């Protein structure tokens, strides 16, 4: 289903937003009761808490997989009040870089950085709420440290979401502003200082944040918090009109719709996952047909569960015996007496819980 800037589209968006606002006022038990069933999985690991205590601080993770030594893979996570952390798969802190108010984060391997291939990390920088920035870093994978490369213009407004995509045109960062504006920024980090230019602007009707790019099919997925999940073309020359994938209808997705992650399988298959923050669940849609598949929750086990999740991420491949089938990471809101952190889940456990095999 499509709707653009017409009266009908605006009315539908307004009605969905009003419904989502009313939904959030329900007690959690009522929201869970109204939603479709969710399978239960437990996390196999967790990161150390972020440094900002007693606040909504941890937000979004990104994963670098070490193909040569999967156990030495790294996780980059944001403390949106303070900066960026680097963690090992054991959850222990390897590095912290004071970058201020960085909200979401993504990374790409094999990017030319100052004349050599490396891992480029990009975070949405909202230190100036009136002017969005993209904060760029190189991940030194041997030392597990971040090296700041500078910032690029992300457009007028407050930076929220960020995701990276790569195609024949080059490397794009999609920065999602708080008001639902999405700016596509072409990045070149090969020179002494990175450069970027905004090549396309898209717009959703209200607050949006999470996003993910499927490089295989050229699709950009964006979560509009009170409305649902949308799809755009990721090419700089693609149309700017959104296509509705799923509504935050209180059944499949309970507002807020927050983090978005892709689970690629084969040439175009797999899943797109959305954090159904309103009822502490995660909703899967199949690819490429975007059909509803099921939902799951991360419940208490050897480590605590995850609730009120903002950012999520998935990376396929071998991560050692602790994380068979791939690694799924979810930000955890309430984390007992500790500051917020990130929970680590084996994809094989999600597959088993939802009967995806």
């Amino acid at each position: 289903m499509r709707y653009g800037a017409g009266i009908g589209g605006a009315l539908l968006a307004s009605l969905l937003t009003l419904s989502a606002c009313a939904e959030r006022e329900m007690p959690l038990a009522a929201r869970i009761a109204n939603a479709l069933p969710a399978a239960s999985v437990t996390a196999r690991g967790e990161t150390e808490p972020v440094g900002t205590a007693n606040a909504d601080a941890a937000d979004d993770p990104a994963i670098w997989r070490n193909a040569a030594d999967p156990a030495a893979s790294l996780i980059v996570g944001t403390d949106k009040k303070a900066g960026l952390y680097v963690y090992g798969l054991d959850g222990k802190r390897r590095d912290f870089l004071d970058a201020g108010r960085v909200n979401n984060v993504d990374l790409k391997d094999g990017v030319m950085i100052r004349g050599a291939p490396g891992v480029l990390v990009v975070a949405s920088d909202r230190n100036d709420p009136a002017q969005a920035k993209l904060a760029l870093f190189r991940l030194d994978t041997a030392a597990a440290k971040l090296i700041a490369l500078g910032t690029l213009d992300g457009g007028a407004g407050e930076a929220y979401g960020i995701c990276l995509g790569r195609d024949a045109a080059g490397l794009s960062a999609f920065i999602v502003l708080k008001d639902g504006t999405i700016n596509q920024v072409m990045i070149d980090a090969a020179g002494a200082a990175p450069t970027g230019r905004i090549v396309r602007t898209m717009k959703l009707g209200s607050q949006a944040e999470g996003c993910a790019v499927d490089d295989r099919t050229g699709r950009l997925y964006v979560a509009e918090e009170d409305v649902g999940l949308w799809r755009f073309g990721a090419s700089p020359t693609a149309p700017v009109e959104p296509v509705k994938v799923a509504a935050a209808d209180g059944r499949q997705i309970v507002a807020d719709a927050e983090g978005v992650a892709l689970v690629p399988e084969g040439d175009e298959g797999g899943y797109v996952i959305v954090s159904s923050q309103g009822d502490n669940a995660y909703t899967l849609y199949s690819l490429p047909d975007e059909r509803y598949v099921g939902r799951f929750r991360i419940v208490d086990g050897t480590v605590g569960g995850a609730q009120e999740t903002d950012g999520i991420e998935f990376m396929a491949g071998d991560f050692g015996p602790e994380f068979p089938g791939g690694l799924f990471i979810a930000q955890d809101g309430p984390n007992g007496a500790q500051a917020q952190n990130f929970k680590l889940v084996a994809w094989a456990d999600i597959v088993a819980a939802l009967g995806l095999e």
Side-chain angles (χ1 to χ4, degrees):
M1 160 170 104
R2 296 174 181 262
Y3 67 75
I7 295 174
L11 177 59
L12 177 57
S14 297
L15 290 173
L16 288 170
T17 300
L18 289 171
S19 174
C21 291
E23 190 175 89
R24 280 201 302 272
E25 294 175 357
M26 294 181 184
L28 175 60
R31 279 178 267 145
I32 291 175
N34 287 342
L36 294 174
S40 294
V41 301
T42 56
R44 296 195 182 196
E46 64 180 336
T47 66
E48 294 180 342
V50 298
T52 303
N54 303 315
D56 178 19
D59 197 273
D60 192 45
I63 304 168
W64 174 73
R65 178 177 172 270
N66 187 332
D69 183 5
S73 299
L74 299 171
I75 301 160
V76 180
T78 60
D79 178 336
K80 62 188 176 185
K81 311 290 186 183
L84 289 160
Y85 286 90
V86 179
Y87 302 97
L89 289 188
D90 59 2
K92 295 189 180 300
R93 186 181 305 129
R94 300 285 197 269
D95 186 34
F96 172 74
L97 184 66
D98 182 355
R101 300 176 70 234
V102 288
N103 199 51
N104 279 198
V105 66
D106 200 3
L107 60 80
K108 281 285 187 187
D109 203 346
V111 176
M112 290 301 294
I113 304 172
R114 293 179 176 171
V119 180
L120 182 69
V121 176
V122 183
S124 56
D125 183 328
R126 58 176 183 171
N127 285 293
D128 179 355
Q131 187 63 47
K133 298 288 186 183
L134 288 75
L136 275 61
F137 311 86
R138 180 174 69 84
L139 176 61
D140 181 335
T141 56
K145 291 187 176 296
L146 291 164
I147 296 94
L149 300 174
T151 61
L152 299 174
D153 177 38
E158 185 172 356
Y160 251 46
I162 195 81
C163 53
L164 300 179
R166 185 162 44 190
D167 61 13
L171 179 69
S172 289
F174 295 89
I175 184 163
V176 183
L177 308 185
K178 188 175 182 179
D179 70 353
T181 299
I182 305 149
N183 288 326
Q184 182 172 3
V185 183
M186 298 297 297
I187 295 176
D188 184 352
T195 61
R197 59 190 178 92
I198 297 174
V199 296
R200 188 168 62 130
T201 296
M202 296 152 280
K203 185 72 172 74
L204 295 174
S206 62
Q207 185 167 311
E209 184 172 0
C211 67
V213 181
D214 191 339
D215 286 340
R216 304 167 306 163
T217 57
R219 292 177 174 181
L220 164 68
Y221 293 92
V222 184
E224 186 178 1
E225 295 188 359
D226 286 341
V227 178
L229 181 66
W230 297 92
R231 166 169 47 87
F232 296 87
S235 167
T237 59
V240 297
E241 292 79 18
V243 176
K244 190 69 168 291
V245 175
D249 59 358
R251 300 280 290 157
Q252 296 179 10
I253 301 172
V254 180
D256 296 343
E258 287 277 355
V260 180
L262 287 166
V263 181
E265 295 180 353
D267 291 338
E268 60 178 5
Y271 308 92
V272 57
I273 308 178
V274 185
S275 170
S276 175
Q277 191 186 70
D279 72 326
N280 303 329
Y282 312 88
T283 306
L284 280 73
Y285 298 91
S286 61
L287 296 174
D289 57 359
E290 299 167 345
R291 174 182 52 84
Y292 171 76
V293 172
R295 293 158 30 92
F296 68 94
R297 291 191 178 91
I298 304 172
V299 300
D300 291 347
T302 305
V303 300
Q307 299 85 34
E308 299 178 11
T309 293
D310 284 319
I312 59 176
E313 185 59 291
F314 172 83
M315 179 64 70
D318 177 21
F319 283 89
E322 288 300 312
F323 301 102
L327 176 61
F328 176 80
I329 301 180
Q331 180 263 359
D332 182 21
N335 189 33
Q338 297 182 308
Q340 296 179 339
N341 72 347
F342 301 91
K343 298 299 195 284
L344 283 59
V345 182
W347 177 244
D349 293 342
I350 298 170
V351 168
L354 290 175
L356 300 179
E357 293 180 318

